[in-house]
Amino acid sequence: MLALEVKAMDYRPQRLDNAKREQKSPDYLAINPRGQVPTLQHGEATVCETLAVLAYIDATNPEPPLFGKEPLETARIWQAISECDGNLREPVTNISRPLFRGKATEFAEQISEAAIVVREELGLLESRLAADRWIAGETLSAADLTIFPVVMQLLRAAEREEAVPLDLAIHPLSEHFPNLGAWSERIEALKGYQNAYPPHWK
Ligand SMILES: N[C@@H](CCC(=O)N[C@@H](CS)C(=O)NCC(=O)O)C(=O)O
């Protein structure tokens, strides 16, 4: 949704409530057999998987480009996305899932181990953002739009009361990772950010 806002494209959001198993309804499974979000429907086209959706949006509305203009820029964007998917996403889930499910004490060891990896990964992003405004350079890209929701998922978990005794040293972001904190504020200042913000996260 943030990509659609950045591209100033019209869209109609439709939230599916996973708690009500709306993602596993026969109607939705016919659209996305994994029963996962997001799915984009555009005319006759149905596109599943976040990255495929971003690529489709970029191909249908090329300005501003989300995957770079120059070869090295494109490579940096894909590198950051691959690094996020390969190194950050899983440990973040290992922290957020037990915290969202009220099982922080039971999974304290798993959370602490994952937090070590996550802090290292955030440290790498922090260094990158010392030189650049956005994750892959001077322009907002698919790398920012991919990594931001993962960082938000982490922060929404790390700010919980039950996370305090675990001393994750992640939240508040600006305190532990000032460059990432400033980057996050830049994303939050994007036009359309509020429209794209999931209502159930508020
Ligand atoms: N690889 C997929 C992952 C999508 C995904 O995990 N979506 C979550 C919500 S963020 C979901 O739908 N979970 C419900 C489920 O897996 O049953 C993508 O990037 O789109």
Side-chain angles (χ1 to χ4, degrees):
M1 282 166 60
L2 192 48
L4 290 164
E5 292 288 345
V6 166
K7 298 278 192 181
M9 289 167 77
D10 281 335
Y11 64 97
R12 187 167 56 85
Q14 188 172 344
R15 185 190 166 214
L16 297 179
D17 190 343
N18 206 22
K20 293 185 188 151
R21 296 196 54 80
E22 287 175 350
Q23 292 182 206
K24 309 299 173 192
S25 72
D27 282 355
Y28 188 65
L29 287 174
I31 293 168
N32 183 327
R34 290 184 197 275
Q36 293 187 326
V37 292
T39 299
L40 177 78
Q41 291 190 299
H42 180 224
E44 296 296 302
T46 294
V47 186
C48 303
E49 290 290 320
T50 310
L51 262 176
V53 170
L54 287 177
Y56 181 83
I57 290 171
D58 202 50
T60 51
N61 265 51
E63 291 299 328
L66 294 181
F67 290 91
K69 279 183 173 164
E70 304 301 327
L72 190 54
E73 203 186 346
T74 300
R76 290 219 168 100
I77 293 164
W78 280 108
Q79 180 187 332
I81 293 171
S82 302
E83 286 171 340
C84 172
D85 282 345
N87 306 309
L88 183 63
R89 199 179 287 280
E90 187 179 335
V92 162
T93 303
N94 287 343
I95 294 172
S96 65
R97 188 179 287 141
L99 278 159
F100 290 150
R101 293 183 179 171
K103 296 193 171 171
T105 314
E106 202 179 319
F107 288 87
E109 202 177 314
Q110 170 186 302
I111 295 173
S112 297
E113 280 172 12
I116 295 170
V117 181
V118 165
R119 281 196 300 271
E120 274 177 20
E121 290 301 319
L122 294 186
L124 291 171
L125 292 170
E126 177 74 4
S127 310
R128 198 171 293 171
L129 287 165
D132 291 321
R133 218 174 135 67
W134 301 101
I135 296 285
E138 282 309 299
T139 312
L140 175 85
S141 75
D144 301 282
L145 301 180
T146 303
I147 294 170
F148 182 73
V150 179
V151 172
M152 286 301 283
Q153 179 185 335
L154 173 68
L155 291 176
R156 286 176 54 244
E159 73 188 9
R160 294 211 164 191
E161 194 84 29
E162 309 89 288
V164 174
L166 298 171
D167 201 14
L168 299 178
I170 288 170
H171 180 268
L173 191 63
S174 301
E175 203 174 282
H176 299 284
F177 301 95
N179 298 335
L180 268 168
W183 164 79
S184 162
E185 283 169 17
R186 282 196 282 280
I187 297 216
E188 285 164 13
L190 289 173
K191 190 169 170 285
Y193 175 84
Q194 287 304 333
N195 296 338
Y197 195 89
H200 57 298
W201 283 14
K202 283 178 185 158

